[in-house]
Amino acid sequence: MHFKYREWNPNIDKKSPNQSPFDTLMDLFEELLTIASGDVSQALRWMADIDDEYGITNQFDDFDLDDFVDELKERGYIEQDQEENMLVITRKAERSLRKHSLEEIFKHLDKGAAGRHKTDHTGEGLERQPETRQWQQGDDLTNIDSVGTMMNMFKHSSIDQMDLKERDIRVHNTDHHTSVATVLLIDLSHSMVLYGEDRITPAKKVAMALSELILNNYANDSLDIVAFGNEAWKVGIEDLPYLKVGPYHTNTQQALQMARHILHRRKYANKQIFMITDGKPSCIIENGRLYKNSVGLDRKIVNKVLDEAVKCRRDKIDITTFMIARDPYLQNFVRELTEANKGRAYFASLDNLGGYIFEDYIRNRKRRVK
């Protein structure tokens, strides 16, 4: 695995002008800890290397990396595992990593990108929109567009006599927020770290941030996480920082199948699958054995994946694929998958992956109904 470093700038990403030495180092530590898949010793070694080269702690008075480690222990972020004789992170640190990822993604969200996906159905709900329509019997009068209504009335009234008619009344559309059951699929195949590009760290950050968003802001929603390589398996939210890429192929079919089975048990009207992947499906389980083919797109494997996408469509489960690779033939596969499910696809870079997913998730919680 290869990483790109730049000269350390202590002013980057400061939360406030008076940020403490601990908080400054904590930002860097959490970033490195995510890359190191929760390995405290590795993250601290990288911090020491960066400090030696760029002198991060030289800006502080009487606070070095040893003091930072001591404070991490005092604040309950790391502890000594007596059985393994090594430093490990605590539940508090896991929560902090999720919060850090959430803040990082929201900080870079492009506010101007909202509103690109529109629906054909409008009606009463919880959030007023700028669009208006003619008033209908039963509409909430608190949503009346007073300016639009008055302008309509002026068209057929005079200064001496104002004549308000029912057809003049305009009301604002409103969005109705629904509960959503989501399964997030994360590709852990070997290609996620091939070619000198770390693709798994952004995927983990998105998973941690999305889980933190739902836990704190959308308590009525559900989120399940499934990792997939040669096979698919469920991952707990608390396990996200420790995810690592393995020597795996890509069993997309089993990942979608497991997600579909999970959503069958969720009693929600709205169900969706988010899949983060950078590669083609390259294996399936056939007669209890692994069938694999890493050369090109094997139609036997691809057709199994497309069959699963159709099953999801029949069960009214939308699949949104976030492809973080630019190979044309891989993009063609994603288009096939999207067409089979009637879902959505984004060809996202690693920098904007979180923005795409968060905009789509929040937007999908809104349904306009009559």
Side-chain angles (χ1 to χ4, degrees):
M1 189 183 301
H2 302 281
F3 304 101
K4 295 180 180 178
Y5 296 99
R6 64 172 183 241
E7 184 174 355
W8 171 257
N9 183 346
N11 294 317
I12 292 179
D13 292 338
K14 277 195 174 184
K15 293 183 176 62
S16 70
N18 298 318
Q19 190 176 32
S20 69
F22 176 84
D23 290 335
T24 300
L25 293 178
M26 188 65 173
D27 288 342
L28 176 61
F29 176 67
E30 289 185 318
E31 181 71 22
L32 296 176
L33 194 61
T34 303
I35 297 172
S37 297
D39 187 332
V40 174
S41 297
Q42 181 64 72
L44 291 175
R45 283 195 293 270
W46 284 337
M47 283 191 75
D49 291 342
I50 296 173
D51 190 34
D52 287 343
E53 185 165 356
Y54 298 110
I56 305 172
T57 58
N58 292 343
Q59 62 180 306
F60 308 135
D61 295 328
D62 299 325
F63 193 87
D64 57 20
L65 289 183
D66 289 336
D67 297 320
F68 175 67
V69 173
D70 290 340
E71 194 161 342
L72 283 173
K73 294 177 182 177
E74 291 174 5
R75 296 193 183 198
Y77 289 107
I78 62 174
E79 62 187 10
Q80 187 76 24
D81 186 319
Q82 299 301 330
E83 293 184 3
E84 299 292 335
N85 192 29
M86 60 186 294
L87 290 172
V88 296
I89 61 175
T90 63
R91 295 295 188 204
K92 180 178 181 179
E94 292 169 0
R95 291 192 299 270
S96 181
L97 284 174
R98 296 197 299 266
K99 183 179 178 182
H100 177 81
S101 298
L102 181 62
E103 291 174 347
E104 179 179 337
I105 288 174
F106 266 106
K107 183 173 62 179
H108 292 98
L109 275 180
D110 181 6
K111 295 180 180 179
R116 289 175 294 179
H117 303 294
K118 296 182 179 180
T119 61
D120 297 327
H121 305 290
T122 60
E124 186 178 42
L126 298 177
E127 182 178 333
R128 177 181 290 189
Q129 298 298 309
E131 297 87 356
T132 64
R133 57 173 173 79
Q134 188 171 346
W135 177 83
Q136 299 174 1
Q137 186 69 33
D139 283 339
D140 189 344
L141 294 179
T142 61
N143 292 319
I144 286 181
D145 172 21
S146 57
V147 174
T149 298
M150 295 293 288
M151 292 299 294
N152 287 340
M153 182 184 68
F154 288 150
K155 292 177 182 178
H156 58 78
S157 297
S158 65
I159 297 178
D160 298 327
Q161 184 175 0
M162 298 297 177
D163 183 18
L164 178 64
K165 300 183 182 297
E166 182 177 311
R167 67 174 182 269
D168 297 331
I169 303 175
R170 303 288 297 179
V171 294
H172 287 279
N173 289 328
T174 53
D175 281 341
H176 176 69
H177 291 257
T178 65
S179 296
V180 179
T182 303
V183 177
L184 177 63
L185 305 179
I186 303 178
D187 184 351
L188 294 185
S189 62
H190 186 52
S191 60
M192 292 288 277
V193 291
L194 282 180
Y195 317 117
E197 187 171 41
D198 175 20
R199 296 168 175 172
I200 186 58
T201 298
K204 285 195 298 184
K205 284 184 177 181
V206 165
M208 288 191 291
L210 186 59
S211 63
E212 187 69 7
L213 176 76
I214 292 174
L215 287 172
N216 288 282
N217 297 87
Y218 303 111
N220 293 328
D221 289 3
S222 73
L223 174 67
D224 294 277
I225 300 166
V226 172
F228 64 103
N230 291 348
E231 297 178 330
W233 65 96
K234 282 198 67 174
V235 175
I237 290 175
E238 67 279 3
D239 299 323
L240 288 173
Y242 311 103
L243 288 182
K244 295 180 180 179
V245 169
Y248 305 129
H249 296 276
T250 310
N251 195 337
T252 309
Q253 183 266 338
Q254 192 177 85
L256 291 173
Q257 183 183 66
M258 179 172 285
R260 181 167 57 86
H261 290 167
I262 290 171
L263 290 172
H264 275 170
R265 300 191 294 269
R266 299 296 185 192
K267 305 304 181 184
Y268 288 76
N270 301 291
K271 302 177 181 182
Q272 63 184 2
I273 296 171
F274 283 178
M275 179 166 63
I276 305 172
T277 183
D278 76 330
K280 62 183 180 295
S282 59
C283 71
I284 55 174
I285 303 297
E286 187 176 52
N287 299 322
R289 301 181 62 181
L290 185 68
Y291 172 83
K292 59 183 184 294
N293 184 355
S294 299
V295 180
L297 285 170
D298 187 317
R299 290 312 306 184
K300 176 192 285 190
I301 297 174
V302 169
N303 289 342
K304 289 289 187 180
V305 175
L306 298 180
D307 287 345
E308 196 59 46
V310 171
K311 291 177 183 178
C312 288
R313 184 186 70 196
R314 289 172 181 167
D315 291 343
K316 297 182 179 179
I317 298 171
D318 294 331
I319 300 173
T320 303
T321 305
F322 301 90
M323 171 61 81
I324 46 179
R326 295 291 179 178
D327 310 64
Y329 79 103
L330 294 181
Q331 294 187 3
N332 288 335
F333 157 70
V334 171
R335 292 188 180 97
E336 277 193 82
L337 174 67
T338 303
E339 177 62 28
N341 178 256
K342 305 302 180 185
R344 291 176 299 279
Y346 296 93
F347 300 99
S349 71
L350 297 177
D351 292 335
N352 62 20
L353 175 63
Y356 275 123
I357 290 182
F358 273 59
E359 288 173 9
D360 212 63
Y361 179 80
I362 294 171
R363 186 178 299 113
N364 287 352
R365 295 192 77 261
K366 299 178 181 180
R367 297 289 185 270
R368 293 187 179 182
V369 295
K370 289 185 178 180

